[in-house]
């Protein structure tokens, strides 16, 4: 059977971009083709025809999508252009902000450096805070800051740790903590305080001031400790000088009133005695004249005694009296003194000298010791009635000497006893006895100059015992002779 068979050649068509646009096909009649070959050709042609049709359809779709693509690409391009402009804008802004950021970093760095600088400066200032220290305490009573030149001197560098509450500071005196806390509390309420404290014998004037935060609220208290030890010392010296001057003035005025009173009696005695001598001029009146002359002598002696006491007092005031020890036998020394004072005794008075040993060596100032014992014995005589016994007793115990003067006189009222060693002080029961009230004051000062002690016991109308305790000072003497 001869069929109308056509052969077909087909080939693809590409664009200049080598894209497949479609398929070109040529059909032509075939006269004789072997069966197998024929089948194959038919198959191939059928294939080629369907491919060509497909490719044609595809070409159309491709064209459409190409156009769509182009439109899309166009839209895309304009979008990209827009975005690019936006991006450029953004980049521009970024660059600008980056620049300002760099500026800011620079400013921050400068500020940081200046902050570090000022912190260092502050640290240096506080570390070297002259003659004192500075502290800051917060609302919890915790130490926030402490620094200053004196911290080591008072031991506060170890004792006070930043961050600890004032109560927790175990090595700080309780009284000091109490005072500081009281003032910090006031300062935290907005007050400025000023108070004085003493730490390790150093005096400080502390000034406090409230520290405000940015909201003008007090959050901390600043305490500035200024070492005022020197000022204090000067203050004490000035006060002492003023006190001394006041005392001297008082002494002068007391002396004038005392002298006008005490001098009157001996002076009038002298005057009347001289008048009597003048009148008893005849021969045979010698005895009377001698009596008046001895009255004058006693009065003059009294006057000299008062003046001497006053001079001794002035010398003591000026620090001119110093103890000049010498080695001597006290028993012999006092025996001669008792002998000397016999003339002052009242009628019937007896002075008994009691000694524990027949010889007691002492290393003391004989002039001062003489004045002391003479004064005590003359008081015992003065404030005892006639016929009364007076005893002078000496004893030693270890390295000390004890001297006791006992009388059976008028005694000292209890209320006067506490004032007895005060200058010009006289007990109220002594008003009828002559005296200036200087004797015991001088005695006490002399005893103290020899590093001793004076005490007394007295019962009104029964008698008085004065006891003096002095160092024998024999060891010093041994040393002196050894070297
Ligand atoms: P003077 O300066 O002349 O000694 P004064 O005897 O009055 O005068 P103090 O010797 O200092 O002064 O004595 C002070 C006072 O102490 C006396 O006025 C007297 O009141 C009292 N007094 C001292 N010794 C005795 C004593 N032994 N018995 C009683 N009172 C005494
Ligand atoms: Mg006296």
């Amino acid at each position: 059977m001869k069929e109308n068979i056509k052969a077909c050649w087909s080939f693809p068509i590409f664009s200049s971009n080598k894209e497949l646009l479609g398929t070109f096909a040529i059909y032509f009649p075939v006269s004789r083709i072997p069966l197998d070959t024929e089948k194959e050709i038919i198959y191939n042609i059928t294939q080629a025809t369907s491919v060509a049709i497909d490719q044609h359809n595809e070409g159309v779709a491709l064209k459409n999508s190409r156009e769509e693509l182009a439109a899309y690409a166009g839209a895309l391009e304009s979008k990209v252009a827009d975005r690019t402009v936006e991006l450029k804008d953004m980049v521009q802004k970024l660059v600008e902000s980056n620049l300002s950021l760099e500026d800011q970093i620079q400013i921050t760095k400068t500020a940081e450096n200046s902050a570090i600088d000022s912190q260092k400066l502050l640290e240096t200032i506080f570390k070297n805070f002259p003659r004192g220290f500075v502290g800051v305490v917060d609302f919890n009573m915790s130490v926030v800051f402490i620094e200053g030149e004196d911290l080591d001197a008072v031991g506060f560098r170890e004792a006070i740790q930043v961050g600890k509450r004032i109560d927790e500071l175990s090595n700080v005196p309780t009284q000091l903590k109490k005072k500081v806390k009281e003032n910090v509390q006031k300062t935290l309420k907005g007050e400025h305080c000023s108070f004085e404290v003493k730490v390790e014998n150093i005096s400080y004037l502390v000034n406090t001031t409230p520290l405000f935060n940015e909201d003008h609220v007090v959050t901390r208290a600043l305490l500035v400790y200024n070492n005022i030890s020197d000022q204090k010392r000067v203050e004490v010296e000035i006060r002492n000088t003023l006190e001394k001057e006041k005392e001297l003035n008082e002494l002068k005025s007391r002396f004038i009133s005392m002298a006008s009173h005490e001098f009157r009696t001996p002076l009038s005695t002298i005057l009347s005695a001289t008048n009597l001598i003048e009148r008893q001029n005849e021969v045979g009146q010698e005895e009377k004249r001698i009596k008046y002359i001895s009255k004058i002598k006693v009065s003059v002696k009294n006057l000299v005694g008062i003046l001497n006491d006053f001079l001794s007092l002035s010398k003591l005031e000026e620090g001119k009296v110093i103890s000049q020890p010498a080695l001597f036998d006290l028993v012999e020394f006092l025996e001669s003194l008792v002998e000397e004072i016999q003339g002052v005794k009242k009628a019937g008075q007896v002075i008994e000298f009691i000694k524990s040993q027949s010889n007691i060596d002492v290393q003391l100032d004989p002039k001062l010791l003489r004045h002391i014992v003479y004064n005590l014995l003359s008081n015992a005589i003065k404030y005892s009635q006639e016929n009364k016994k007076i005893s002078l007793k000496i004893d030693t115990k270890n390295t000390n000497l004890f001297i006791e003067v006992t009388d059976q006189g008028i005694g000292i009222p209890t209320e006067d006893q506490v004032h007895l060693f005060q200058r010009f002080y006289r007990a109220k029961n002594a008003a009828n006895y002559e005296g200036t009230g200087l004797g015991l004051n001088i005695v006490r000062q002399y005893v103290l100059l020899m590093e001793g002690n004076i005490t007394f016991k007295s019962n009104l109308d029964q008698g008085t015992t004065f006891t003096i305790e002095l160092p024998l000072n024999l060891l010093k003497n041994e040393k002196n002779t050894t070297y």
Side-chain angles (χ1 to χ4, degrees):
M1 185 183 94
K2 197 162 177 188
E3 290 169 38
N4 192 16
I5 298 167
K6 284 182 183 151
C8 175
W9 284 325
S10 70
F11 50 86
I13 303 164
F14 297 97
S15 74
S16 56
N17 294 338
K18 294 192 179 164
E19 282 175 326
L20 183 66
L21 295 173
T23 311
F24 187 78
I26 303 167
Y27 299 87
F28 51 91
V30 180
S31 53
R32 168 112 179 70
I33 296 163
L35 191 63
D36 288 346
T37 317
E38 210 171 280
K39 275 184 186 169
E40 197 175 316
I41 287 170
I42 288 166
Y43 174 77
N44 281 341
I45 285 172
T46 316
Q47 287 281 319
T49 309
S50 79
V51 167
I53 291 163
D54 285 352
Q55 285 185 348
H56 174 72
N57 292 341
E58 273 176 17
V60 172
L62 202 69
K63 195 182 165 205
N64 288 343
S65 23
R66 187 168 288 261
E67 278 167 4
E68 271 173 28
L69 208 68
Y72 184 70
L76 209 67
E77 251 171 43
S78 95
K79 259 190 185 169
V80 167
D82 286 352
R83 286 280 155 85
T84 309
V85 171
E86 277 174 22
L87 213 66
K88 267 187 184 168
D89 258 16
M90 215 124 86
V91 168
Q92 182 64 27
K93 277 181 186 161
L94 262 168
V95 167
E96 279 170 11
S97 72
N98 197 29
L99 280 176
S100 90
L101 205 70
E102 269 176 18
D103 282 354
Q104 268 175 19
I105 289 170
Q106 194 55 41
I107 290 166
T108 313
K109 263 190 184 164
T110 317
E112 235 172 50
N113 284 343
S114 91
I116 290 168
D117 271 2
S118 49
Q119 194 178 335
K120 271 187 184 160
L121 181 69
L122 274 178
E123 270 172 21
T124 319
I125 290 171
F126 287 130
K127 223 171 220 158
N128 296 293
F129 185 82
R131 299 186 55 72
F133 53 94
V134 176
V136 178
V137 175
D138 69 10
F139 249 102
N140 299 321
M141 289 286 151
S142 299
V143 182
V144 176
F145 176 87
I146 184 150
E147 194 51 88
E149 208 181 68
D150 269 18
L151 279 189
D152 294 310
V154 291
F156 277 2
R157 205 174 287 285
E158 282 83 37
I160 300 184
Q161 295 97 33
V162 169
K164 282 214 168 174
R165 300 185 69 236
I166 292 176
D167 283 334
E168 295 168 350
L169 305 170
S170 52
N171 289 331
V172 177
T174 318
Q175 276 302 102
L176 175 66
K177 288 196 282 191
K178 197 174 160 229
K179 202 162 190 181
V180 169
K181 263 174 62 186
E182 277 169 16
N183 284 280
V184 167
Q185 268 155 1
K186 284 186 200 165
T187 310
L188 289 171
K189 284 177 189 159
E191 261 183 65
H192 286 80
C193 304
S194 193
F195 58 99
E196 282 183 22
V197 292
K198 210 166 188 185
V199 194
E200 300 284 331
N201 270 337
I202 304 176
S203 298
Y204 288 98
L205 172 69
V206 191
N207 285 303
T208 76
T209 188
L211 295 179
F212 295 85
N213 67 5
E214 285 164 357
D215 302 323
H216 305 289
V217 176
V218 182
T219 51
R220 290 166 175 181
L222 171 71
L223 295 101
V224 181
Y225 288 71
N226 279 305
N227 186 331
I228 52 160
S229 297
D230 285 349
Q231 289 102 300
K232 279 264 152 195
R233 228 183 330 272
V234 173
E235 214 178 283
V236 169
E237 273 167 25
I238 291 172
R239 204 179 304 143
N240 284 346
T241 315
L242 279 174
E243 200 65 41
K244 246 182 195 166
E245 201 148 309
K246 212 175 119 193
E247 270 176 29
L248 272 174
N249 278 337
E250 197 190 321
L251 192 69
K252 276 181 201 163
S253 59
R254 292 293 292 270
F255 177 71
I256 290 164
S257 67
M258 180 267 293
S260 58
H261 182 258
E262 291 300 314
F263 279 34
R264 197 177 294 151
T265 318
L267 283 176
S268 58
T269 310
I270 292 168
L271 191 65
S272 64
T274 46
N275 281 339
L276 286 168
I277 292 171
E278 208 175 33
R279 272 184 243 157
Q280 319 276 327
N281 222 355
E282 306 89 43
V283 184
Q285 302 287 332
E286 287 86 6
E287 219 173 281
K288 280 189 177 171
R289 282 204 300 272
I290 290 170
K291 195 180 126 198
Y292 299 138
I293 286 170
S294 79
K295 272 193 176 178
I296 291 173
K297 278 186 183 166
V298 170
S299 296
V300 169
K301 216 177 172 189
N302 276 345
L303 285 175
V304 171
I306 294 171
L307 287 173
N308 277 344
D309 274 359
F310 195 75
L311 276 176
S312 307
L313 211 61
S314 302
K315 276 187 186 170
L316 279 165
E317 280 294 321
E318 291 163 25
K320 283 184 182 165
V321 184
I322 47 160
S323 167
Q324 290 172 313
L327 183 66
F328 60 93
D329 172 21
L330 186 72
V331 175
E332 197 189 322
F333 177 85
L334 289 181
E335 268 168 357
S336 115
L337 185 65
V338 169
E339 196 55 47
E340 194 186 314
I341 211 162
Q342 297 292 334
V344 189
K345 276 187 328 186
K346 285 180 190 164
Q349 284 182 338
V350 181
I351 300 175
E352 192 186 8
F353 182 31
I354 308 159
K355 56 221 180 244
S356 58
Q357 300 145 56
S358 57
N359 169 280
I360 299 174
D361 282 340
V362 293
Q363 170 94 357
L364 294 163
D365 186 320
K367 273 189 189 165
L368 298 184
L369 194 67
R370 188 185 183 284
H371 187 98
I372 292 165
V373 181
Y374 193 93
N375 249 278
L376 294 181
L377 283 175
S378 58
N379 271 350
I381 293 168
K382 182 159 64 171
Y383 299 110
S384 300
Q385 297 83 355
E386 291 178 355
N387 304 315
K388 293 283 182 187
K389 198 178 91 179
I390 293 157
S391 67
L392 169 66
K393 188 177 161 196
I394 52 169
D395 199 359
T396 58
K397 198 174 180 190
N398 302 325
T399 55
N400 285 340
L401 164 72
F402 293 87
I403 304 174
E404 266 181 29
V405 176
T406 305
D407 65 56
Q408 299 163 343
I410 61 170
I412 302 158
T414 320
E415 62 269 31
D416 291 315
Q417 292 188 5
V418 66
H419 306 289
L420 213 68
F421 293 109
Q422 283 173 15
R423 210 177 279 164
F424 298 110
Y425 193 86
R426 306 200 72 218
K428 61 178 181 293
N429 62 340
N432 295 330
Y433 299 83
E434 278 181 13
T436 59
L438 289 177
L440 282 182
N441 179 275
I442 296 168
V443 164
R444 185 172 175 270
Q445 293 197 62
Y446 282 0
V447 170
L448 294 178
L449 274 174
M450 291 194 288
E451 296 169 359
N453 191 28
I454 178 165
T455 52
F456 68 89
K457 275 187 181 150
S458 184
N459 289 312
L460 201 59
D461 298 324
Q462 286 180 31
T464 307
T465 298
F466 279 89
T467 306
I468 289 169
E469 185 182 351
L470 286 165
L472 286 166
N473 288 336
L474 294 176
L475 219 66
K476 272 188 203 164
N477 180 50
E478 277 163 24
K479 267 188 190 170
N480 286 346
T481 48
T482 315
Y483 291 103

